[in-house]
């Protein structure tokens, strides 16, 4: 099979397509013929910054058809289409997915739509729920044109937010986020982000944390779900009785699988009735993995970037 690995850390240019044997699924695992792979910023950063033994494979969001199952697998059938998070060779034309990570793709939905919706949607919906929103509150979403952000702003709108503000890195993204329901658009670096909001869903972190906290109304909550780091001054929280809440999807997957399944069902239901519209920025062949990483690193994407192994 073909897979993408890297033998040194660096930019997109270090990615290489290699030939290897098709893996065998172990206990509790599914072997997929991979139809779509979602490209994420954390994976792109891992290639550049290191942190794991080399040569290294790339994990990620995958979707495809089950072609074999390991021992002790129940509840799935060969021929079914599923999506989920792969921790091994995700950038490959065959991938291994543990059943605890697998979610069936409803009939009629494409594999590209599945990788655009499920993992990113789980993060977006989970981060929104972590803020404990009340109907009628206002919400600001940073990284609003990203794979997660463009779903988060739609979820906030569908859940009854009175005003949804999309924060983006470029004015060129304004029409895109407005088409998804954003009431207002702000660009990073603006002196003011407009009227304060009750909730900020922050996908960026770093230097953007300070203006994001400043955008909160008294008593407001910022949910941080970014891998971008950053820090907040305690005084900035104290004077406005503001709070910062950390959200990590991995903890939900490990400790609350039934909640994750409920969220999955809600995401597909919202997509079916048109309240949620996952957008694909680009679908590229596996050989163009480097180009996909370039799009993510440059923050040029408006929606999800997807690789097509087959």
């Amino acid at each position: 099979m073909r897979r993408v690995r890297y033998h040194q850390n660096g930019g997109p240019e270090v990615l290489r397509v290699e030939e290897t044997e098709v893996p065998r699924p172990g206990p509790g695992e599914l072997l997929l013929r991979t139809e779509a792979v979602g490209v994420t910023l954390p994976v792109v950063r891992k290639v550049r910054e290191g942190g794991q033994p080399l040569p290294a494979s790339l994990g990620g969001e995958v979707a495809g058809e089950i072609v074999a199952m390991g021992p002790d697998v129940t509840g799935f059938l060969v021929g079914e289409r599923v999506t989920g998070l792969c921790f091994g060779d995700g950038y490959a034309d065959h991938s291994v997915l543990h059943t605890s990570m697998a979610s069936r793709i409803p009939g009629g939905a494409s594999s590209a739509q599945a990788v655009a919706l499920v993992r990113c949607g789980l993060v977006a919906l989970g981060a929104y729920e972590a803020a404990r929103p009340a109907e009628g509150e206002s919400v600001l979403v940073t990284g609003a044109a990203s794979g997660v952000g463009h779903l988060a702003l739609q979820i906030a709108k569908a859940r009854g937010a009175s005003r949804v503000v999309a924060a983006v890195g470029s004015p060129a993204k304004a029409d895109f986020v407005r088409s998804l329901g954003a009431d207002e658009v702000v660009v990073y670096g603006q002196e003011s982000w407009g009227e304060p909001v009750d909730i900020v869903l922050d996908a960026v972190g770093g230097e953007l944390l300070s203006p994001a906290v400043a955008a909160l109304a008294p008593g407001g909550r910022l949910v941080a779900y970014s891998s971008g780091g950053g820090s907040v001054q305690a005084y900035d929280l104290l004077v406005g009785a503001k709070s910062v809440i950390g959200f990590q999807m991995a903890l939900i997957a490990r400790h609350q699988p039934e909640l994750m399944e409920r969220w999955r069902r809600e995401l597909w239901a919202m997509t079916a009735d048109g309240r949620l519209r996952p957008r694909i920025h680009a679908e590229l062949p596996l050989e163009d993995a480097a180009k996909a990483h370039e799009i993510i690193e440059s923050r040029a994407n408006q929606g999800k970037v997807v690789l097509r192994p087959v």
Side-chain angles (χ1 to χ4, degrees):
M1 74 172 190
R2 295 171 307 143
R3 68 177 176 186
V4 175
R5 292 203 305 171
Y6 56 103
H7 294 252
Q8 65 186 74
N9 295 113
E13 71 281 354
V14 304
L15 301 181
R16 298 286 183 270
V17 179
E18 304 174 348
E19 291 288 339
T20 189
E21 296 293 322
V22 174
R24 292 185 178 181
E29 292 180 336
L30 308 170
L31 176 65
L32 307 187
R33 181 181 293 108
T34 315
E35 298 170 351
V37 182
V39 181
T40 65
L41 182 59
V43 171
V44 172
R45 282 177 171 157
K46 189 177 292 185
V47 174
R48 184 172 286 281
E49 298 169 6
Q52 59 183 342
L54 298 173
S57 298
L58 296 97
E61 310 150 336
V62 299
E65 178 187 349
I66 300 172
V67 293
M69 299 188 293
D72 306 321
V73 171
T74 59
F76 292 93
L77 297 171
V78 170
E80 287 186 312
R81 295 168 62 245
V82 297
T83 185
L85 190 62
C86 169
F87 297 101
D89 287 319
Y91 286 34
D93 54 30
H94 285 78
S95 53
V96 173
L97 186 64
H98 196 275
T99 53
S100 63
M101 292 285 105
S103 172
R104 286 182 182 81
I105 301 173
S110 71
S111 292
Q113 185 183 43
V115 294
L117 175 70
V118 176
R119 186 67 184 177
C120 289
L122 286 171
V123 174
L125 181 53
Y128 184 66
E129 288 211 347
R132 295 189 173 91
E135 187 169 352
E137 287 191 308
S138 52
V139 180
L140 183 146
V141 179
T142 66
S146 68
V148 174
H150 89 287
L151 297 176
L153 73 87
Q154 294 179 72
I155 288 168
K157 199 74 175 177
R159 285 286 199 91
S162 61
R163 171 172 150 255
V164 177
V165 182
V168 294
S170 165
K173 298 179 179 179
D175 287 345
F176 173 71
V177 292
R178 286 190 186 279
S179 74
L180 298 174
D183 299 298
E184 300 171 25
V185 181
V186 298
V187 179
Y188 310 149
Q190 285 184 205
E191 185 175 342
S192 170
W193 285 8
E195 290 296 316
V197 297
D198 301 301
I199 296 168
V200 170
L201 304 180
D202 179 46
V204 180
E207 295 180 356
L208 210 64
L209 274 176
S210 291
V213 169
L216 287 171
R221 294 91 69 202
L222 182 148
V223 178
Y225 61 94
S226 163
S227 60
S231 60
V232 175
Q233 295 296 319
Y235 181 77
D236 293 338
L237 303 178
L238 176 66
V239 294
K242 302 173 183 180
S243 59
V244 175
I245 303 160
F247 177 78
Q248 186 189 54
M249 195 64 225
L251 289 176
I252 303 294
R254 283 197 295 268
H255 301 296
Q256 296 178 277
E258 70 292 337
L259 176 59
M260 192 165 73
E261 183 56 34
R262 177 170 66 80
W263 286 348
R264 284 191 188 115
R265 291 194 300 269
E266 181 174 353
L267 290 168
W268 282 118
M270 292 173 71
T271 303
D273 66 19
R275 288 177 294 161
L276 193 56
R277 292 173 288 158
R279 295 294 184 89
I280 309 296
H281 176 85
E283 294 186 46
L284 302 169
L286 191 65
E287 291 79 6
D288 284 345
K291 183 177 180 181
H293 278 219
E294 288 172 0
I295 293 170
I296 296 294
E297 280 202 323
S298 67
R299 307 295 198 276
N301 58 301
Q302 298 182 27
K304 191 69 174 173
V305 176
V306 175
L307 292 175
R308 283 283 200 177
V310 294

